[in-house]
DNA sequence: TATTGTTATACTCTATAACTATA
DNA sequence: TATAGTTATAGAGTATAACAATA
């Protein structure tokens, strides 16, 4: 579903803007993925392959089952964007990497997905700092990551 | 895919926190939906039925194809959470509404999905106002909605 | 004929279970 | 035996195309 839920109960202005932000982010991601003829999940995986990665590592990072990654990477392989090879250290592990074409598609995707860049570009440097601090506090994140 | 893409290119702190926010929002939504044994899409649709709605209106609101809504509402119907009836004004239109059980489930979902409430609750009233203004500017939204 | 909605179909995402290969 | 990964399978979300009913 492209658009998350907008609570039916009385919603504060802040909640409403937060929701708009999430919606806009998701929509921009989907459009950027479609612009390079990938699904959102495929773009998500391909985007993480700037470095080689083990299949299991990807599944852990993305919080999904390993069989899911097998399927998605299988499709990326079929498109010629990635390849897999056995790890020399451990024969059970298979390492995924992007082909040259995969790199090119990932780069086009990055250029197309300018949501955060565009949104933050509408703020001054000082405003960006304030926003970062407020969001960290709201998310209960430590100031240094 | 549960987690959107984290750009491989150099990412500002602000972009990173923005991504964390979107991820946290989505994850909280999925968990709240699962807590009432619904998929995210089902919770999304059910949540919009505090008022009756035509099938086509839902599709337009959610930016997806009408056939998609037919399927999702068909499942909600099957769970006894919604029902459909022909509009008296226009026999082509079918109006969807929640059953009493659907209302109860939607209410439980609302209580469970406290992401925005919790996040904003960590800020002072003044900070919430600042955040709202900054996000509106970043999203290029007018101050009054 | 145009509009609203459903159904048939196909593809992707996702998880669980069963399986293979390696450690 | 335990771990990494794949494959088989099934349910759900999604869109397109074909269809039925109504305007």
């Amino acid at each position: 579903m492209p658009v998350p839920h907008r609570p039916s109960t009385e919603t504060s202005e802040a909640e409403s803007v937060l929701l708009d932000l999430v919606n806009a982010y998701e929509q921009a991601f989907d459009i950027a993925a479609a612009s390079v003829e990938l699904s959102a999940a495929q773009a998500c995986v391909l985007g993480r392959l700037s470095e080689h990665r083990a299949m299991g590592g990807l599944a852990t990072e993305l919080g999904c089952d390993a069989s899911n990654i097998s399927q998605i990477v299988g499709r990326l392989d079929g498109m010629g964007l990635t390849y897999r090879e056995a790890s020399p250290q451990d024969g059970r592990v298979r390492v995924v990497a992007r082909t040259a074409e995969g790199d090119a598609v990932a780069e086009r995707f990055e250029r197309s997905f300018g949501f955060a860049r565009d949104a933050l570009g509408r703020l001054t440097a000082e405003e960006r700092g304030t926003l970062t601090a407020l969001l960290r506090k709201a998310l209960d994140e430590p100031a240094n990551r």
Side-chain angles (χ1 to χ4, degrees), chain A:
Chain A
M1 188 79 8
V3 183
H5 173 71
R6 185 180 293 273
S8 56
T9 51
E10 187 198 325
T11 299
S12 73
E13 281 184 66
E15 283 186 46
S16 179
V17 178
L18 224 47
L19 175 57
D20 289 345
L21 173 70
V22 173
N23 287 344
Y25 189 105
E26 294 290 320
Q27 193 183 0
F29 191 93
D30 288 346
I31 290 172
S35 79
V36 293
E37 295 180 296
L38 294 178
S39 70
Q42 288 160 359
C44 181
V45 169
L46 191 69
R48 287 174 180 268
L49 297 179
S50 54
E51 309 283 327
H52 298 178
R53 262 182 184 55
M55 296 294 290
L58 277 171
T60 302
E61 269 185 60
L62 297 174
C64 69
D65 193 82
S67 65
N68 191 4
I69 299 298
S70 278
Q71 289 227 62
I72 294 169
V73 173
R75 291 194 188 100
L76 292 172
D77 274 10
M79 294 182 232
L81 304 182
T82 57
Y83 62 94
R84 284 173 277 194
E85 45 190 23
S87 162
Q89 284 82 39
D90 184 336
R92 295 171 301 183
V93 172
R94 290 186 83 194
V95 169
V96 204
R98 292 201 292 240
T99 62
E101 195 188 342
D103 281 335
V105 170
E107 199 181 309
R108 284 202 291 136
F109 172 82
E110 291 294 342
R111 270 201 305 272
S112 178
F113 184 57
F115 175 81
R117 182 177 65 232
D118 294 347
L120 294 170
R122 295 189 192 100
L123 304 180
T124 66
E126 189 187 349
E127 287 171 334
R128 275 195 294 276
T130 303
L131 178 65
T132 302
L134 288 175
L135 287 179
R136 276 199 181 134
K137 187 175 178 189
L139 290 173
D140 207 14
E141 278 184 7
N144 296 321
R145 348 183 48 236

